[in-house]
Amino acid sequence: MISSQRQHLILSRLRTRGAVRITALSKELGVSAMTIRRDIAELADKGLLKRVHGGAVTTSTLLSEPLFSVKSQMDIGLKDAIAQEAIKYVSPGDVIAIGGGTTAYVFAQHLLESQQASGITILTNSIPVAELVQALESKDVEVIVTGGVTTRSNSLVGPIADKVIASLRVNTVFLGTHSVSIPRGFLMPNSLEAATDMAMMGIADRTIILTDHTKWSCTSLSLFARFDQVETVITDDGLDPDTAAKTKELVNELVLAEQVEPAQESEQQ
């Protein structure tokens, strides 16, 4: 398959999935990861897609987002690093809220494997997070699910979710974000999801945002939090120094999680 054919297929996958991963494309097309990277770089130079760590996303991300199943395969190492830092903000017996999205999901995975999860209660509007808790052999963790209308990210949003949330109280809420805008704040492409995130912040003593460094270069429609409404932002150390400095001026605490470098992929053609 020549490069133009590969690139046509990559764009086709992006239109249906919203995001693609280099390793998956390499396996599907029977070429090296380096070849796929070159194809993605050429398409990015033409403005036809946006490169991210481990793959690419569509440039049409203002009003939509990839499916949860696709996003969960993107930037795994970054999310793991962020999650390891985030669990330090949970103590046994806490009552916390966990929002939707894949970064929050990875945080929940790490949390439930840690000692900090002992005796905690989790309020969540994430179906995958609720399923994680239900799958636990130990029933030491209680989960409360908001109900509501499902989104592409397998989150529950809307008036039903917001009403349930408003009747409760949590120590800390952990939220992902689709994009970070300086100096505006944190945004989502789905206005209902943004409203539900705002509802969660409204019942929390402390708000922590979990997001990788690529989100500073994205754009979304609906603002759900200003910087002065957030206590802590946990991202990875891939955030460039200038952006990190600007963010530190706006938020109370910025944590840069150290990313563990994965083993080198084989680049044989």
Side-chain angles (χ1 to χ4, degrees):
M1 185 179 291
I2 62 176
S3 61
S4 60
Q5 292 174 317
R6 288 195 308 271
Q7 291 175 16
H8 178 78
L9 187 141
I10 291 170
L11 292 175
S12 175
R13 295 292 182 270
L14 276 176
R15 281 192 293 272
T16 58
R17 301 174 185 173
V20 292
R21 188 162 175 78
I22 289 172
T23 52
L25 287 171
S26 174
K27 183 177 180 179
E28 179 181 357
L29 299 178
V31 297
S32 71
M34 182 62 75
T35 298
I36 298 299
R37 289 193 186 94
R38 283 197 295 265
D39 287 336
I40 287 176
E42 290 181 17
L43 291 168
D45 289 342
K46 297 175 183 176
L48 298 175
L49 54 74
K50 176 179 172 56
R51 299 172 68 181
V52 297
H53 184 81
V57 297
T58 177
T59 54
S60 303
T61 56
L62 183 62
L63 299 177
S64 63
E65 58 181 328
L67 293 169
F68 183 93
S69 59
V70 175
K71 290 177 65 181
S72 63
Q73 299 302 313
M74 306 297 293
D75 304 322
I76 296 173
L78 306 183
K79 293 168 186 172
D80 283 336
I82 292 165
Q84 291 288 4
E85 288 295 327
I87 62 176
K88 298 175 184 178
Y89 291 79
V90 182
S91 299
D94 274 356
V95 179
I96 67 171
I98 300 177
T102 55
T103 305
Y105 175 77
V106 173
F107 160 65
Q109 286 180 309
H110 284 268
L111 175 62
L112 294 173
E113 295 170 356
S114 72
Q115 295 297 319
Q116 283 96 318
S118 177
I120 66 171
T121 298
I122 298 174
L123 168 67
T124 187
N125 69 323
S126 167
I127 296 172
V129 169
E131 291 174 341
L132 274 179
V133 180
Q134 286 300 102
L136 287 176
E137 292 184 7
S138 169
K139 297 304 178 184
D140 193 30
V141 178
E142 182 179 357
V143 63
I144 301 169
V145 184
T146 64
V149 179
T150 57
T151 69
R152 288 173 61 87
S153 61
N154 282 6
S155 299
L156 296 164
V157 301
I160 294 173
D162 298 349
K163 185 174 181 179
V164 171
I165 292 166
S167 67
L168 302 170
R169 189 76 189 174
V170 300
N171 302 123
T172 308
V173 58
F174 296 87
L175 297 172
T177 184
H178 187 265
S179 63
V180 184
S181 173
I182 296 176
R184 292 185 66 203
F186 307 92
L187 302 100
M188 287 289 186
N190 184 320
S191 59
L192 287 177
E193 190 162 8
T196 297
D197 283 348
M198 291 171 66
M200 283 194 174
M201 291 174 57
I203 65 162
D205 297 328
R206 175 175 61 175
T207 297
I208 297 178
I209 300 291
L210 311 177
T211 182
D212 67 74
H213 74 275
T214 66
K215 303 300 175 62
W216 270 259
S217 58
C218 296
T219 303
S220 296
L221 179 67
S222 301
L223 183 76
F224 70 89
R226 302 187 310 272
F227 281 99
D228 61 4
Q229 294 175 301
V230 171
E231 278 69 37
T232 302
V233 175
I234 304 177
T235 187
D236 61 271
D237 57 4
L239 189 64
D240 71 85
D242 182 58
T243 302
K246 291 177 180 177
T247 303
K248 284 181 180 179
E249 294 176 357
L250 296 168
V251 73
N252 182 56
E253 180 184 30
L254 176 66
V255 177
L256 300 178
E258 184 177 354
Q259 183 188 173
V260 177
E261 290 296 329
Q264 290 293 321
E265 299 177 80
S266 172
E267 301 297 350
Q268 293 182 346
Q269 190 74 27

